[in-house]
Amino acid sequence: MGLGDKISNKAEELGGKAKEATSEATDDKDLQAEGKADQATGNLKQAGEKLKDTFKS
């Protein structure tokens, strides 16, 4: 996995943060849950990338 995957994972995390912020402004609980899920997925993928990088070194 390369730089492109890391960028994609970060974009997913930031998209989740944007959804969560929008949901708070509109009081949309479904969108808030989706935003939190996107953030968690992005963070998990980033952790996996960091682990792979550790073992490559």
Side-chain angles (χ1 to χ4, degrees):
M1 301 284 165
L3 181 61
D5 291 324
K6 291 178 184 179
I7 292 170
S8 175
N9 297 340
K10 189 65 174 179
E12 185 172 7
E13 178 191 350
L14 293 175
K17 286 183 181 184
K19 284 182 185 179
E20 189 174 5
T22 300
S23 73
E24 289 174 6
T26 61
D27 199 32
D28 184 342
K29 299 296 180 190
D30 292 332
L31 187 60
Q32 184 178 24
E34 187 178 327
K36 287 184 179 190
D38 287 351
Q39 287 179 66
T41 302
N43 286 332
L44 185 60
K45 288 179 181 179
Q46 286 181 25
E49 289 294 327
K50 289 179 183 179
L51 187 61
K52 288 178 190 178
D53 289 345
T54 298
F55 284 109
K56 285 183 182 178
S57 298

